[in-house]
């Protein structure tokens, strides 16, 4: 039984990376998602990112009955009203701006509204979460954060190291996001975040999106819905009810080659297993309660069982992201 | 004495290429230009064009009291109302889209609203006016023209060869432009156009912008204002009063290195003198009656003396371009 009418929820997923086709867009609609943040680049530079944007322009034309581009918060509400899903383009690395400050605005103008500062490794801006050393935000990084603040491109720290993340929160004049990660206290993965960092994020008005990627979950693919929602409850105690949402990190329809690209890019000749291992190099199975975007009502049910209802549940399911994006996507100055 | 009140004219120059700074924007205002089409790329590929667009984003911010970006015809009228000049970004070659059809829309979304199919040489789309052979529009060219038609990016044939130009006019479902050239019957330069081509252009609803670049003028730098306006009158007889405007090809504040880039790009190790010669390789002096954009009232005076007045004069000075851009910049389908 679904205890909550999802018609009254604005459901937002702050991270999915899939090999998008019509079936997957139909899954978004089946899950009643008003908006989803999709990854278009991991290691791709400016030129390669243009091709991805070109591909999304075609997807928007060909599937305009299911999806619309999202440039501002109002696009999410309008998509909800029309029974469509607003697609927010984002990058998991700063590679789309190469080494050129002016490309922040250029990419923002093309609809790239969220950008991670680093992806696992050292970038031109800061350190990723798998680096042994973390020297914080670089000279270019300070400029890039300021420019992202100005144009309304949201800083995402999901794959950044601790010092880099704390400095970014401090340097950014606008709240930043960790679109997809969990507290390290729930599961001690390198990609999950310390309470100290999550508190600093919340204090600055930033947002955390809870991940359902098995490597971020206690018990991995066997993590129960109850384990997940209990973590949500504990994190709400830490960060406050207004500072959390979903960022499921759902990956659909990719083969192992894509995982190799995500993990190893062009920066190594050896296989890098990232959050996997040599024994289990491939995509981990999804938890039984979240196979596709169409499983989204299960999260609602779980949060309700955890004791969340009404306004609080609506905030976690997407209301907080809606408010955050509505402000964050606007240019300032 | 200025016989015409320029306040009632919407003055449009369909081609300038200058090393833009505040002084030059002030010259645009002194000439009361409502809009100017500026070149941002000659041989630059997609990536390099992004840097030029980034530079223009900064110019628009820093000189917002004098200039505004132009994406549609209404921007020209609004600029006129505000006492500013609307800047239309364009490329003199198809290099900004590399070999990728989807980049037509990407570049259009970034404000590149006019694109030449070729610049002097063979391009991926067609033949330039200095090629010995002209095989017409390529396979990619047919796709690119169709996509430009769809998104509202105007096809410009100023530096294209004859067959390529005739085929482009035939293939394009929307009127095309020759933004800056003169009739070859006036001055037989390779860059000037045959009557046959100009008639086909006019028949299809296209536009010719008259050039004041000395190499396109009878007598070169010594061409008189009367010679120029007599050519305008003869061309109106050929093409009709609605199909012509200005495209002065004014180039300001560049050194010889820029001319070398324009002429030789990266495609030759030898100097190519283009419209110049080994004896006179540098920028030719402007005619005495058109040194800068602030000289625009002289054209008004000359056209008036030639017998144009009222509605006809307003059409030539910019009304025709305004109508052409208003339709041409809109996406269709």
């Amino acid at each position: 039984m679904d205890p909550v009418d999802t018609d009254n929820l604005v459901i937002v997923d702050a991270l999915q990376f899939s090999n998008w086709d019509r079936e997957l867009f139909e899954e978004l609609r089946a899950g009643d998602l008003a908006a989803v943040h999709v990854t278009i680049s991991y290691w791709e530079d400016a030129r390669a990112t243009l091709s991805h944007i070109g591909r999304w322009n075609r997807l928007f034309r060909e599937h305009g009955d299911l999806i619309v581009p999202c440039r501002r918060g109002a696009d999410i509400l309008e998509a909800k009203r029309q029974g469509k899903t607003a697609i927010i383009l984002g990058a998991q690395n700063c590679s789309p701006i190469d080494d050129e400050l002016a490309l922040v605005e250029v990419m923002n103008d093309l609809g790239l509204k969220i950008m991670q500062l680093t992806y696992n490794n050292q970038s031109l801006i800061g350190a990723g979460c798998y680096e042994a050393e973390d020297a914080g935000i670089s000279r270019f990084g300070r400029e890039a954060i300021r420019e992202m603040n100005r144009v309304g491109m949201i800083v995402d720290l999901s794959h950044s190291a601790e010092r880099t993340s704390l400095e970014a929160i401090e340097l950014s004049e606008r709240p930043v996001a960790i679109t997809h990660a969990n507290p390290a206290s729930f599961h001690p993965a390198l990609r999950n975040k310390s309470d100290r960092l999550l508190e600093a994020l919340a204090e600055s008005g930033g947002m955390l999106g809870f991940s359902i990627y098995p490597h971020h979950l206690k018990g991995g693919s066997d993590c129960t819905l109850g384990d997940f929602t209990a973590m949500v409850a504990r994190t709400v105690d830490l960060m406050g009810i207004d500072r959390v949402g979903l960022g499921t990190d759902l990956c659909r329809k990719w083969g192992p080659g894509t995982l190799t690209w995500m993990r190893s890019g062009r920066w190594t000749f050896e296989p890098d297993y990232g959050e996997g291992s040599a024994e289990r190099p491939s995509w981990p199975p999804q938890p039984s309660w979240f196979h596709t975007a169409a499983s989204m009502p299960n999260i609602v049910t779980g949060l309700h069982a955890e004791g969340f209802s009404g306004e609080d549940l609506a905030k976690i399911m997407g209301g907080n992201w809606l408010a955050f994006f509505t402000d964050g996507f606007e240019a300032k100055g």
Side-chain angles (χ1 to χ4, degrees), chain A residues 233-270:
Chain A
R234 281 196 304 274
T235 312
V236 166
D237 290 342
L238 182 74
M239 297 182 69
I241 187 64
D242 296 320
R243 307 268 58 89
V244 299
L246 298 173
T248 65
D249 210 357
L250 181 68
C251 300
R252 296 272 293 130
K253 293 198 180 190
W254 290 117
T258 300
L259 206 50
T260 300
W261 168 248
M262 291 163 65
R263 289 168 172 172
S264 304
R266 294 176 289 229
W267 65 271
T268 177
F269 295 141
E270 306 301 323

Side-chain angles (χ1 to χ4, degrees), chain A residues 1-326:
Chain A
M1 188 189 100
D2 182 355
V4 174
D5 182 3
T6 64
D7 284 356
N8 295 322
L9 298 175
V10 177
I11 301 177
V12 178
D13 190 343
L15 204 284
Q16 292 189 16
F17 174 61
S18 293
N19 192 7
W20 295 102
D21 61 14
R22 188 160 184 89
E23 184 187 14
L24 293 178
F25 295 138
E26 284 167 345
E27 286 180 3
L28 294 177
R29 296 311 314 136
D32 201 16
L33 276 81
V36 58
H37 165 215
V38 304
T39 296
I40 65 169
S41 292
Y42 284 93
W43 306 100
E44 288 89 337
D45 62 6
R47 177 61 186 82
T49 297
L50 293 188
S51 296
H52 291 313
I53 289 169
R55 184 167 155 271
W56 271 102
N57 285 339
R58 290 186 61 199
L59 289 172
F60 287 129
R61 282 204 301 284
E62 292 169 3
H63 307 282
D65 55 325
L66 300 174
I67 58 169
V68 291
C70 179
R71 301 285 185 108
R72 52 195 67 77
D75 294 336
I76 298 174
L77 290 174
E78 179 61 16
K80 170 77 182 172
R81 200 186 62 75
Q82 295 188 3
K84 300 179 182 177
T85 300
I87 305 286
I88 304 160
L89 303 185
Q92 297 223 15
N93 203 346
C94 63
S95 52
I97 62 168
D98 294 349
D99 59 353
E100 185 167 346
L101 188 59
L103 293 199
V104 172
E105 183 168 18
V106 168
M107 289 294 164
N108 181 72
D109 286 346
L110 288 172
L112 194 82
K113 296 301 299 176
I114 300 176
M115 189 173 79
Q116 288 204 46
L117 303 187
T118 71
Y119 186 73
N120 298 346
N121 288 9
Q122 178 70 41
S123 75
L124 294 182
I125 289 183
C129 57
Y130 291 172
E131 291 288 358
E133 299 293 330
D134 177 3
I137 299 292
S138 68
R139 300 174 76 202
F140 177 51
R142 289 165 181 262
E143 300 282 342
I145 290 170
R146 188 161 54 206
E147 183 70 352
M148 292 171 75
N149 285 170
R150 185 181 73 78
V151 304
M153 181 189 285
I154 287 173
V155 171
D156 186 353
L157 301 169
S158 298
H159 286 252
S160 296
E162 176 105 349
R163 178 179 165 188
T164 288
S165 298
L166 289 167
E167 288 187 13
I169 291 169
E170 181 70 25
L171 287 164
S172 181
E173 290 172 7
R174 303 177 71 176
V176 305
I178 294 174
T179 60
H180 57 302
N182 292 325
S185 63
F186 170 64
H187 178 61
L190 278 171
R191 271 274 284 104
N192 284 339
K193 306 304 179 189
S194 74
D195 282 4
R196 180 187 172 205
L197 175 54
L198 295 177
E199 282 173 321
L201 181 68
E203 249 171 56
S204 68
M207 280 284 296
L208 172 70
F210 294 113
S211 169
I212 312 182
Y213 192 61
H215 292 312
H216 306 157
L217 297 174
K218 184 170 69 179
S221 301
D222 297 327
C223 179
T224 67
L225 180 55
D227 290 339
F228 178 78
T229 58
M231 170 197 66
V232 172
R234 281 196 304 274
T235 312
V236 166
D237 290 342
L238 182 74
M239 297 182 69
I241 187 64
D242 296 320
R243 307 268 58 89
V244 299
L246 298 173
T248 65
D249 210 357
L250 181 68
C251 300
R252 296 272 293 130
K253 293 198 180 190
W254 290 117
T258 300
L259 206 50
T260 300
W261 168 248
M262 291 163 65
R263 289 168 172 172
S264 304
R266 294 176 289 229
W267 65 271
T268 177
F269 295 141
E270 306 301 323
D272 181 76
Y273 295 110
E275 297 168 299
S277 61
E279 294 72 36
R280 295 193 298 174
S282 195
W283 297 95
Q286 284 291 116
S288 62
W289 42 275
F290 197 76
H291 277 121
T292 78
S295 313
M296 201 55 91
N298 291 343
I299 312 290
V300 178
T301 306
L303 290 174
H304 193 78
E306 186 66 36
F308 293 105
S309 61
E311 195 183 342
D312 286 357
L313 192 149
K315 285 181 173 182
I316 298 168
M317 288 304 300
N320 287 336
W321 280 125
L322 174 64
F324 182 80
F325 291 148
T326 298

